[in-house]
Amino acid sequence: MIEGSTNSATQNIPFRIREYDVAIAGGGLAGLALGIQCAQAGYRTILFEKEKYPFHKVCGEYISAESWNFLEELGVPLSQMNLPIIRRLLVTAPNGKELRQNLPLGGFGISRYKLDAMLADIARQNGVELIESTKVDGIKFGNEVFSLQSFGGSYHAKVVVGAFGKRTNLDVRWSRKFILKKHNKLNNYMGVKYHIKTSWPEDLIALHNFENGYCGISKIEENKYCFCYLTAAKNLERWGNSIPEMEKQVLCRNRHLKMIFENAEKLSQSPVTISQISFDKKEQIHNHVLLVGDAAGMIAPLCGNGMSMALHGSKIAFEQINLFLQNKIARWQMEENYVSAWKKQFSGRLRTGRMVQRFFGSALLSDILISVLKPFPGITNKLISETHGQPF
Ligand SMILES: Cc1cc2nc3c(=O)[nH]c(=O)nc-3n(C[C@H](O)[C@H](O)[C@H](O)COP(=O)(O)OP(=O)(O)OC[C@H]3O[C@@H](n4cnc5c(N)ncnc54)[C@H](O)[C@@H]3O)c2cc1C
């Protein structure tokens, strides 16, 4: 560690410079999974997370089974956790019309509160220097070294990875293209999540449509359920920015949702919320920073595959970072290989996800979609498979 001068902004705090092989901004699934792989391979790894574990996140908390083996390899003992295994899907239109389907691969339920904190513990045990409650404010690259700024000081690393999720201060600072886009059909959504107690089949995930949005419900650990919805921001504006009013006036028009609102016990006073969600295309590299997870591209939540893409993306990134740090490939090759492997694995899923997203949230279109798909389970299966991958 090099102790340097003092930072003018933080007068009396020593300005510390530390050297790392890998620095990661953001400790969600992508960042934590990558940190663990890097530390297990013996690389000096630092990870910054702006929140403090455990904490709640807006997410439907249904993980496609394709991630099961990978999470166990990282050290999450899923087999011993008695988690709900989900094999069936129910989709309803705002008018209540139903479509039922078995899920080709299926998945399981676990809260982000629990999963992210478990991964954070595993990361620490493997030697990742995990800096919580610390936001990365800037990342610069020059002379083959990154310098990364946070309130606590400045850090140097050979490789920096942005795993900061859907939208963050760095996206704005870097003026990323998706930030500069005007509002369109794919970029102005908000998410709302509750944990609830209710009566619902353990192996069933439902996706209930309402005007300008859809809501998922499925079981997680300890007999709790995740109840999470995505809606166009205009829906909330229309109801005076009141979530309870929007739920009453819009969501409850779908009788399936009305029943849940009337019978469930909410486990916290207010929901977790996020806004300004965009499904527009993103780049996978910014000024030599490798981007993983939602920072590289976000799939529509109705596909239930964002978490697996974040985890799988970390594996793809690690393979290239490992080769680079072993001096087997140059930086430009690491970047090119990463982008092409990422696109090969995920571009098709994102495309299908965007297409399906357009159908959901429209009362008429979701009704038509359900009517058309109902007699053809093979097509529904194909659509689901197109937005999912295989175990990795
Ligand atoms: C409504 C909704 C429902 C969803 N439902 C599902 C589902 O059921 N199944 C599924 O598979 N996917 C679902 N997803 C998608 C899934 O949540 C994401 O794809 C997944 O969380 C991406 O992981 P990540 O690690 O890229 O990002 P995140 O999990 O968002 O992690 C990013 C982390 O970076 C931190 N951070 C941000 N900026 C900084 C900074 N400057 N410095 C330090 N830290 C920073 C954040 O605090 C955060 O912890 C859903 C998404 C939404 C919006």
Side-chain angles (χ1 to χ4, degrees):
M1 181 182 83
I2 307 160
E3 293 282 349
S5 59
T6 50
N7 181 345
S8 58
T10 53
Q11 292 285 314
N12 296 317
I13 297 172
F15 186 69
R16 300 184 304 176
I17 300 179
R18 296 174 170 216
E19 315 281 339
Y20 294 87
D21 294 313
V22 183
I24 302 167
L29 297 186
L32 288 165
L34 180 66
I36 295 168
Q37 293 167 87
C38 291
Q40 283 176 344
Y43 296 120
R44 214 171 158 212
T45 307
I46 188 164
L47 187 155
F48 299 86
E49 169 51 51
K50 70 180 170 65
E51 308 292 336
K52 187 160 174 52
Y53 302 100
F55 59 97
H56 290 286
K57 236 174 216 179
V58 173
C59 181
E61 302 181 333
Y62 161 85
I63 310 194
S64 156
E66 70 200 64
S67 293
W68 183 277
N69 294 346
F70 180 67
L71 280 168
E72 286 221 312
E73 279 160 25
L74 290 179
V76 185
L78 294 175
S79 314
Q80 296 158 34
M81 290 172 68
N82 198 23
L83 295 169
I85 305 296
I86 299 162
R87 301 190 195 284
R88 295 184 298 135
L89 169 71
L90 165 68
V91 183
T92 72
N95 62 11
K97 201 179 270 182
E98 297 179 8
L99 170 75
R100 287 178 188 270
Q101 179 82 21
N102 287 334
L103 289 163
L105 200 58
F108 56 100
I110 180 169
S111 70
R112 297 298 300 270
Y113 188 83
K114 189 164 187 121
L115 181 59
D116 289 33
M118 284 180 92
L119 285 168
D121 282 343
I122 295 167
R124 280 191 212 95
Q125 285 155 18
N126 278 280
V128 175
E129 201 171 318
L130 184 49
I131 315 283
E132 295 175 70
S133 310
T134 302
K135 194 190 252 186
V136 174
D137 289 321
I139 301 171
K140 290 195 186 117
F141 180 75
N143 296 326
E144 280 299 303
V145 178
F146 286 95
S147 129
L148 192 140
Q149 281 80 42
S150 77
F151 182 72
S154 183
Y155 300 78
H156 286 174
K158 294 176 194 156
V159 175
V160 169
V161 176
F164 38 67
K166 303 163 216 355
R167 180 191 178 96
T168 190
N169 57 324
L170 293 169
D171 293 313
V172 177
R173 180 164 285 205
W174 294 345
S175 302
R176 290 183 74 191
K177 276 186 208 143
F178 80 94
I179 293 278
L180 301 176
K181 274 202 167 175
K182 288 200 180 127
H183 287 168
N184 62 39
K185 272 201 144 189
L186 286 172
N187 74 0
N188 197 18
Y189 288 89
M190 66 172 294
V192 178
K193 182 182 91 174
Y194 300 90
H195 281 165
I196 59 172
K197 290 252 175 184
T198 190
S199 157
W200 185 262
E202 165 150 342
D203 65 339
L204 181 68
I205 180 166
L207 213 48
H208 298 300
N209 280 272
F210 55 89
E211 189 66 55
N212 294 317
Y214 48 83
C215 178
I217 177 170
S218 55
K219 194 168 186 187
I220 51 168
E221 71 274 3
E222 293 158 14
N223 270 326
K224 292 183 280 192
Y225 291 81
C226 178
F227 183 77
C228 179
Y229 61 86
L230 184 88
T231 180
K234 64 181 178 194
N235 235 4
L236 187 66
E237 286 157 22
R238 201 169 137 219
W239 297 101
N241 291 321
S242 159
I243 288 181
E245 196 56 23
M246 175 178 70
E247 288 171 348
K248 192 170 140 206
Q249 301 290 350
V250 185
L251 278 77
C252 285
R253 269 191 244 152
N254 181 325
R255 64 182 163 84
H256 298 274
L257 285 172
K258 187 162 189 263
M259 212 154 70
I260 297 170
F261 274 107
E262 282 173 356
N263 297 314
E265 176 198 346
K266 287 181 187 157
L267 297 176
S268 60
Q269 285 264 307
S270 39
V272 197
T273 60
I274 43 165
S275 58
Q276 296 185 301
I277 302 172
S278 165
F279 305 110
D280 273 326
K281 280 192 189 154
K282 295 179 179 174
E283 327 82 55
Q284 289 75 50
I285 306 268
H286 180 90
N287 196 17
H288 304 285
V289 175
L290 266 58
L291 302 168
V292 286
D294 283 357
M298 188 176 168
I299 189 160
L302 69 96
C303 301
N305 204 238
M307 288 193 272
S308 287
M309 284 176 52
L311 291 165
H312 196 165
S314 80
K315 187 171 182 177
I316 293 172
F318 173 69
E319 281 160 8
Q320 297 306 321
I321 291 168
N322 195 20
L323 291 173
F324 171 70
L325 291 175
Q326 290 174 342
N327 290 322
K328 290 186 175 157
I329 56 173
R331 186 179 294 282
W332 68 266
Q333 285 171 306
M334 167 178 71
E335 294 174 7
E336 267 192 26
N337 293 353
Y338 172 61
V339 174
S340 89
W342 192 97
K343 287 195 165 144
K344 189 168 169 217
Q345 192 55 240
F346 303 128
S347 287
R349 285 187 225 183
L350 287 168
R351 223 178 4 256
T352 312
R354 276 188 214 106
M355 190 265 288
V356 181
Q357 166 79 18
R358 287 174 201 275
F359 278 90
F360 283 72
S362 151
L364 181 65
L365 288 180
S366 57
D367 183 26
I368 294 173
L369 189 71
I370 287 175
S371 306
V372 169
L373 291 179
K374 208 166 181 169
F376 303 108
I379 300 179
T380 315
N381 251 344
K382 176 107 178 86
L383 266 181
I384 296 170
S385 303
E386 292 277 317
T387 55
H388 286 69
Q390 289 303 313
F392 49 91

